[in-house]
Structures are given as C-alpha cells and as structure tokens.
Amino acid sequence: MDASNYIYQVRSINNADIIWVRVRPEYTTDNERKKIDKRICSFRGSSNIINDISVFDNYDCKDMTFSIWKDQNIKCPDFTSFSLTDISKNFNKCIKDIQLFIKKHRKVIIRTNNETGGNGMFILESSSSKKEIIDILTILRIRCLKFISKRSSTRVMVVQFISTEDPNGLIDLYRVHISLGKIISYYAVTSKLDVFHSVDMNYKDLNRFISINEYLRSKILNLEKIILSTAKTLGCSIGAVEFFLINDEPIFLEFNPMWGGNASKFGFGQEELRDYLDKNRSTLEKNIPNIYQFTDYQLYYKSLYQNIHKHYQSSDKL
C-alpha cells in the first residue's frame, strides 16, 4: 500500500521531475502566488507542472471560471459580477442591475467570487426587498474590502440559482474528481438545503443518496468527455468539479484544485447514515462501489499517485 512505490516526495525542487502546486485557494494571497511563480518559472518547459500557479484565477475566481466555461460552450449558471470600484462609485446602479438579474431568474445567489464553504454567500428572491439587497451588497462590499488588499481579484458576483426539479424539494449535487485527463472518483449527495455539504445528509436521505449514486454510475461514461473538458479549459490537471444534472445535462458550478473534507475522512452524512453504509457495505458496494472507493482513504490516494506516476511515465516514453 506504500504510495512511495508510485510517487516520491523530494525536498529540493531541483530534483523533481513533477511539480505539483497544491494550495488552498481561499488562503492563498497575491504575495504567496508571486513567490510560488518565482520559484517555479524557470522549470516551465523542463519539468511537468500540475496546476501551475499561473492559472490560479481561472478556478479561484468563480466569475472567471464561468466566463471561460461559457466561451467553450460548457454549461454553467448565468451570472454578473461587480468590482469593488463598481460598488463604491456606482452603488445605486449595482442595486438596479441586481434587481434586474433577480427579475430575470427569480432566485439568485449573491456572494464573493473567491470564498468557499458557503462563506460570503446569500440568497435573494423576487420577494426580496430593495433594503435587503442594499444590506447584503453592503455586507459583501465590506467583505471585499477585508480581502482585496491580499487577494486583488476579489469581486461580488450574482449567480442564477438552479432550481430543483424534484417534487420533494431535494437538490442533488454531483462531484467528480479528475486526474490528468482521467476520472478517478465520483459521488452524489442530496439535501433540501439551498447550500449544503455531504455532512448535512441524514438517515432520511439514505434511499435518495443510494439512487442518485447508482444513477451517476450509469451516466458517468456518457458524461466523461464534457466533465474532463471543465479541467482542461481552466488549464488544470487535477481537481474536483461539481455540477447539477438537469434533464441529464450537467450544469457546472465549481472547480476545486484539491479536495479532502469530511466525506473522504469520516464518510457521508451524519452518524446514523454513516453507520448504515458501514454495516451494509457487503450488499451496497455492488451498486455504489464509488462511495466505498472514495472513503477507503489509503487505497484511494494510492490510486491517485499511481495514476500520476503512470501518466508521466508513459509521457516520457513517447
């Protein structure tokens, strides 16, 4: 099970034949990006670089991600965005633009463009008052002021809320992990919450959780080409992409260059759901092997490193 059979970490960048730029985007400042860029720039062209820091904004800034995807005919939500200068100098115009956007889509998410985990994120609907919009935009303006000195690409964006088609109001979110042009894992989670994470699922969601993972498994080969293109168009080699499926068509939401989180370490959902999945593994694994492959932490990362090793080993032989 030793990962060193497939990839070996060296202490000097000069001895590396693969440079993997692993950063936590929400904590990566402009100054740190410059330091990383300075450190690796001389190796471009001579070493294999995974997720070069030069494409950082492509995935970190959700408005830039959506712009790139739309240019490549990759479906994602409609959006509009405002710089801090826009908000400071033309606050009333920004309010009017947001009102028009809400009128167009009825329900929207308004957020900072580069935070994660639901931070800096609010829901506005056609019933929202002008005062509510003003208050939220004011809060987000303050958040931008807090971040922009260290993360200059920070903006406010308004995103079309993709409504569920489920009669019970459940939202199904799909996530696929990509490594060097190959899908290495995938799963789906569900909730009635507008913004949620895998840990929010409970035992009542069990049947839905199983059915959507069976469904994703049946569709993954048909979706492979478009899923892989989400990474390629952003200039990324490794990452996780999230999407909804509307009439079997993916609507892409986000690309994250690294992952971990609660599900990979502890399992899916709250304790009762996790216990059921553990106790019934021998039966369930036949239909949703993707869930158990993802939560088998040691084996999963061995597979990831093995894929990196094989990819570059075969490239060197060409």
Side-chain angles (χ1 to χ4, degrees), residues 39-58:
R39 191 76 181 90
I40 68 173
C41 66
S42 62
F43 294 92
R44 291 188 180 114
S46 58
S47 295
N48 299 296
I49 301 178
I50 297 174
N51 292 357
D52 196 321
I53 197 67
S54 63
V55 302
F56 180 84
D57 278 343
N58 290 0

Side-chain angles (χ1 to χ4, degrees), residues 6 57 77 107 111 148 154 160 190 232-233 241 263 292 297 309:
Y6 303 106
D57 278 343
K107 187 173 183 178
R111 56 169 296 175
I148 204 160
T154 303
Q160 172 192 6
T190 190
K232 186 176 181 179
T233 55
V241 65
Y292 296 99
Y297 207 64
H309 171 81

Side-chain angles (χ1 to χ4, degrees), residues 266-278:
F266 307 110
F268 289 89
Q270 297 173 16
E271 186 175 359
E272 190 177 7
L273 176 58
R274 295 199 303 268
D275 287 347
Y276 182 90
L277 293 172
D278 286 341

Side-chain angles (χ1 to χ4, degrees), residues 115-119 121 171 173 175 187-202 205 209 242 254 256 261-263 267-270 273:
E115 287 189 85
T116 60
N119 295 319
M121 184 180 292
I171 300 173
L173 180 66
R175 187 174 232 230
Y187 63 78
V189 293
T190 190
S191 177
K192 288 186 177 182
L193 300 174
D194 286 340
V195 180
F196 66 96
H197 303 90
S198 65
V199 71
D200 294 315
M201 290 189 300
N202 57 46
D205 299 317
F209 175 70
E242 294 185 354
E254 181 177 76
N256 195 319
N262 192 79
F268 289 89
Q270 297 173 16
L273 176 58

Side-chain angles (χ1 to χ4, degrees), residues 140-190:
L140 290 174
R141 176 180 175 272
I142 293 169
R143 291 188 78 87
C144 282
L145 283 168
K146 176 183 176 181
F147 297 128
I148 204 160
S149 62
K150 293 184 177 180
R151 305 183 72 207
S152 59
S153 298
T154 303
R155 296 166 64 92
V156 171
M157 65 183 298
V158 190
V159 183
Q160 172 192 6
F161 186 94
I162 306 297
S163 298
T164 178
E165 297 180 330
D166 182 74
N168 297 315
L170 284 165
I171 300 173
D172 303 325
L173 180 66
Y174 301 85
R175 187 174 232 230
V176 174
H177 303 98
I178 298 166
S179 173
L180 299 157
K182 180 180 179 181
I183 291 174
I184 58 170
S185 63
Y186 54 88
Y187 63 78
V189 293
T190 190

